[in-house]
Amino acid sequence: MREQLTFNEAALPSIKQAAHELYTNYGAMLLGYIIEVVKDRPVAEGYLADIFSGLSVGDIQYIAGTPDGSTYCRLQQYTRNKLVSFVNTVDDCADSPDNVTIRGNRLIDLMTAEQQLVFCGVHYHGKSVSSLANELNKTSDEIRQILKQSFNIIRSNRK
């Protein structure tokens, strides 16, 4: 059985070592989990880097410093909490002209149905401007203008 990590706030090298050990032991499995959630490997890799670089002393103590339970399960729960805004936004987002209902996202709710469709198509579903233009029978310039309007709504309504 592996030794549990122990450290205190004054032991910064131990904290970095603990985060590195978590990454070494569980990074690949966690990346697989994140890919399943976000459905995009480059985005998943970005989330993975953010998760491990953002670990605080308390996070590491919670994840690796408790002898009971699975370290990976606690790390996955921590990751799930970090991904909740992504999951909720994509679930709330329109993905086709037939599905323009958005639920519960304050900023997306401020957009027209067309703006929602274009914004979500490009930003969350990875569609290109040209594919959306073909799908909606519009020019690429019109799609870019709608996307610009969507970003303006987000910028002007951030808290």
Side-chain angles (χ1 to χ4, degrees):
M1 173 148 291
R2 233 157 85 237
E3 256 182 65
Q4 290 296 321
L5 301 171
T6 57
F7 50 85
N8 60 36
E9 289 189 29
L12 187 57
S14 296
I15 294 167
K16 287 183 179 182
Q17 181 181 356
H20 180 71
E21 185 175 326
L22 282 173
Y23 177 79
T24 301
N25 292 331
Y26 304 106
M29 288 190 301
L30 196 61
L31 178 61
Y33 168 74
I34 297 169
I35 289 171
E36 286 299 312
V37 172
V38 302
K39 307 291 189 221
D40 185 338
R41 186 178 182 95
V43 171
E45 289 171 350
Y47 273 111
L48 184 71
D50 290 344
I51 286 165
F52 280 102
S53 64
L55 287 172
S56 70
V57 173
D59 297 334
I60 293 173
Q61 285 177 329
Y62 168 73
I63 294 166
T66 309
D68 58 323
S70 167
T71 300
Y72 177 70
C73 286
R74 286 188 297 273
L75 182 60
Q76 188 179 34
Q77 179 62 41
Y78 174 83
T79 302
R80 192 175 299 123
N81 291 337
K82 296 292 183 184
L83 294 175
V84 75
S85 64
F86 178 85
V87 172
N88 289 344
T89 302
V90 172
D91 287 346
D92 293 343
C93 199
D95 61 358
S96 71
D98 302 328
N99 176 21
V100 293
T101 305
I102 306 295
R103 303 172 316 271
N105 186 305
R106 181 181 64 82
L107 296 174
I108 293 177
D109 286 342
L110 297 172
M111 298 176 195
T112 66
E114 185 177 56
Q115 289 168 336
Q116 291 174 359
L117 186 61
V118 170
F119 175 78
C120 291
V122 170
H123 190 67
Y124 292 114
H125 300 287
K127 295 179 181 178
S128 69
V129 170
S130 60
S131 70
L132 275 172
N134 289 335
E135 193 176 308
L136 300 175
N137 295 322
K138 295 193 178 284
T139 67
S140 293
D141 287 337
E142 289 173 310
I143 297 297
R144 283 188 193 90
Q145 183 61 35
I146 294 167
L147 186 60
K148 183 178 179 180
Q149 292 166 354
S150 301
F151 279 113
N152 286 338
I153 289 169
I154 292 170
R155 278 188 211 107
S156 64
N157 289 288
R158 274 192 268 173
K159 287 185 178 180

